[in-house]
Amino acid sequence: MTNKIDSYDHVLLAAIQDDARLSQSELGERANLSTAAVNRRLKQLAKDGVIERYTANINPKSLGYGLTIVAEVKAESERADLLDEMREGFRACRQIQQCYYVTGDCDFVLIFLVQDMDQYVELTRRLFHGNNNVKAFKTLVVMDRVKAGMHVPVDKSGERS
Amino acid sequence: MTNKIDSYDHVLLAAIQDDARLSQSELGERANLSTAAVNRRLKQLAKDGVIERYTANINPKSLGYGLTIVAEVKAESERADLLDEMREGFRACRQIQQCYYVTGDCDFVLIFLVQDMDQYVELTRRLFHGNNNVKAFKTLVVMDRVKAGMHVPVDKSGERS
DNA sequence: CCTGAAATATCTAAAAG
DNA sequence: CTTTTAGATATTTCAGG
């Protein structure tokens, strides 16, 4: 089922990751494939889960989300059910754009997108102070989103970078 | 130039953020607009920079990027030119998916996408040990990408969440 | 601002090499 | 894999309210 991803696919993936609205004929030119081949490959890549979704990136500021915050959360207990509960609480929070469960000094790294500090404080009350399994949390205020995106490195040659 | 974003736009933005391949007629049904109106609005939103880009999310694992790492970097000096140099170094590194310049215990938060620990170690040598302005760094290995994406909360009513 | 219709362009699938 | 064909969809523009 899951076919090997060849160098044609690499070109296609790099291209649509950069601009998902390139036409299949345009993609065909870049990859030296016919539109029919492009069409078939894109479909297969989506079916195999290599392409997870097509999405539009929205400028957070334009919707009032002018503040990005990184938070590190340390759990009291590592009990699976309690961790799962935290995980789901974070997942359900719309202002938490990203959530990573990590090893190291803390257990979760969260990236918040909020309108202002008041909104963040309110969220910490609910998510952190309101959860007995949160032992401590640390707040890092983002001054510059130097690089933000979900881009995956794609080598057109299929080689390791 | 930058028109006010009304509730129609909110519906469109929420929809295309979720699935950028919905047709304009489909979008029109959801927003109660004609396809022509949808077309004009999408174009305006892109021109205004509200829609930053259309992209495909690629599954990192399918390309061999099985390891996600969060790193915190502390700078030696806060001199603007030295910080800028770091910033640009991080930006240029393909395995650094995200880079945030922050206030707090550290100066930069980085999110790496790497193939394996060897590759990460190699990158730390070049980016951290190889840079005199890096005072210290901390590595957090991601065990679970609980929530990953660039989604911005969009309220279809245009109200604050 | 909107709609609806017409003109383009694109996508998809099938057939044949 | 390719090209070609043809029909279905989607996008874009334009006339007019």
Side-chain angles (χ1 to χ4, degrees):
Chain A
M1 302 296 94
T2 301
N3 290 316
K4 196 178 174 311
I5 298 168
D6 63 19
S7 68
Y8 290 113
D9 291 327
H10 279 83
V11 175
L12 296 179
L13 292 171
I16 63 172
Q17 191 173 225
D18 188 58
D19 181 0
R21 280 177 26 139
L22 293 171
S23 69
Q24 295 181 353
S25 58
E26 171 71 30
L27 293 171
E29 282 181 25
R30 301 198 188 185
N32 282 307
L33 288 173
S34 66
T35 64
V38 171
N39 190 273
R40 185 171 32 73
R41 280 168 181 271
L42 289 179
K43 202 166 290 180
Q44 189 64 40
L45 288 166
K47 200 176 119 195
D48 292 344
V50 177
I51 298 170
E52 292 179 334
R53 79 190 315 174
Y54 291 90
T55 183
N57 282 1
I58 308 301
N59 180 345
K61 234 173 184 167
S62 67
L63 292 182
Y65 292 91
L67 185 60
T68 303
I69 284 178
V70 180
E72 298 179 13
V73 180
K74 197 161 178 45
E76 189 74 55
S77 154
E78 307 282 334
R79 258 175 52 198
D81 58 334
L82 294 176
L83 286 180
D84 275 350
E85 191 189 313
M86 289 176 75
R87 218 189 303 256
E88 291 316 311
F90 296 149
R91 206 201 301 273
C93 177
R94 285 159 20 100
Q95 285 77 18
I96 295 179
Q97 190 186 51
Q98 299 172 59
C99 169
Y100 301 96
Y101 176 52
V102 301
T103 65
D105 288 358
C106 63
D107 295 289
F108 291 96
V109 173
L110 309 174
I111 295 186
F112 285 82
L113 227 50
V114 289
Q115 317 214 16
D116 49 43
M117 203 37 102
D118 286 350
Q119 189 180 31
Y120 178 66
V121 171
E122 194 182 307
L123 287 169
T124 63
R125 258 197 270 278
R126 179 162 67 79
L127 295 167
F128 301 157
H129 300 291
N131 185 324
N132 286 327
N133 202 42
V134 172
K135 182 189 237 167
F137 70 95
K138 194 159 70 175
T139 298
L140 305 170
V141 176
V142 173
M143 289 184 287
D144 184 11
R145 301 171 46 129
V146 178
K147 191 176 186 178
M150 280 293 137
H151 271 47
V152 177
V154 181
D155 282 296
K156 293 179 186 176
S157 60
E159 292 299 313
R160 174 171 180 155
S161 52
Chain B
M1 304 291 93
T2 301
N3 290 314
K4 196 179 173 307
I5 297 168
D6 62 19
S7 66
Y8 289 112
D9 292 326
H10 278 84
V11 174
L12 297 179
L13 292 171
I16 63 172
Q17 190 172 224
D18 188 57
D19 180 1
R21 282 182 16 143
L22 293 172
S23 69
Q24 296 180 354
S25 58
E26 171 70 30
L27 292 172
E29 283 182 23
R30 301 199 189 185
N32 282 306
L33 288 172
S34 66
T35 64
V38 170
N39 189 273
R40 185 173 36 74
R41 280 169 180 270
L42 289 179
K43 203 163 290 181
Q44 188 64 41
L45 288 166
K47 198 175 120 196
D48 291 344
V50 177
I51 298 169
E52 292 179 334
R53 77 190 317 173
Y54 292 89
T55 182
N57 283 1
I58 308 302
N59 180 345
K61 235 172 183 165
S62 67
L63 292 183
Y65 292 92
L67 185 58
T68 303
I69 284 178
V70 180
E72 298 178 13
V73 180
K74 196 159 178 49
E76 190 74 55
S77 154
E78 308 281 336
R79 255 177 51 199
D81 58 334
L82 294 174
L83 286 179
D84 275 350
E85 191 190 312
M86 291 177 74
R87 218 190 304 257
E88 292 316 311
F90 296 150
R91 206 201 300 274
C93 176
R94 285 160 19 101
Q95 285 79 15
I96 296 179
Q97 189 185 52
Q98 299 171 58
C99 170
Y100 301 97
Y101 176 53
V102 301
T103 64
D105 289 359
C106 63
D107 295 290
F108 290 97
V109 173
L110 308 175
I111 296 186
F112 284 83
L113 227 49
V114 289
Q115 316 213 17
D116 50 41
M117 201 42 97
D118 287 349
Q119 189 179 29
Y120 177 66
V121 170
E122 194 181 307
L123 287 169
T124 62
R125 259 195 271 277
R126 181 162 64 80
L127 296 167
F128 302 157
H129 300 289
N131 185 323
N132 286 328
N133 202 40
V134 171
K135 181 189 238 167
F137 71 95
K138 194 160 69 173
T139 298
L140 306 169
V141 176
V142 173
M143 290 185 287
D144 183 13
R145 303 171 45 133
V146 179
K147 192 175 186 179
M150 280 292 138
H151 271 48
V152 177
V154 182
D155 283 294
K156 295 180 187 175
S157 60
E159 293 297 316
R160 177 174 178 153
S161 50

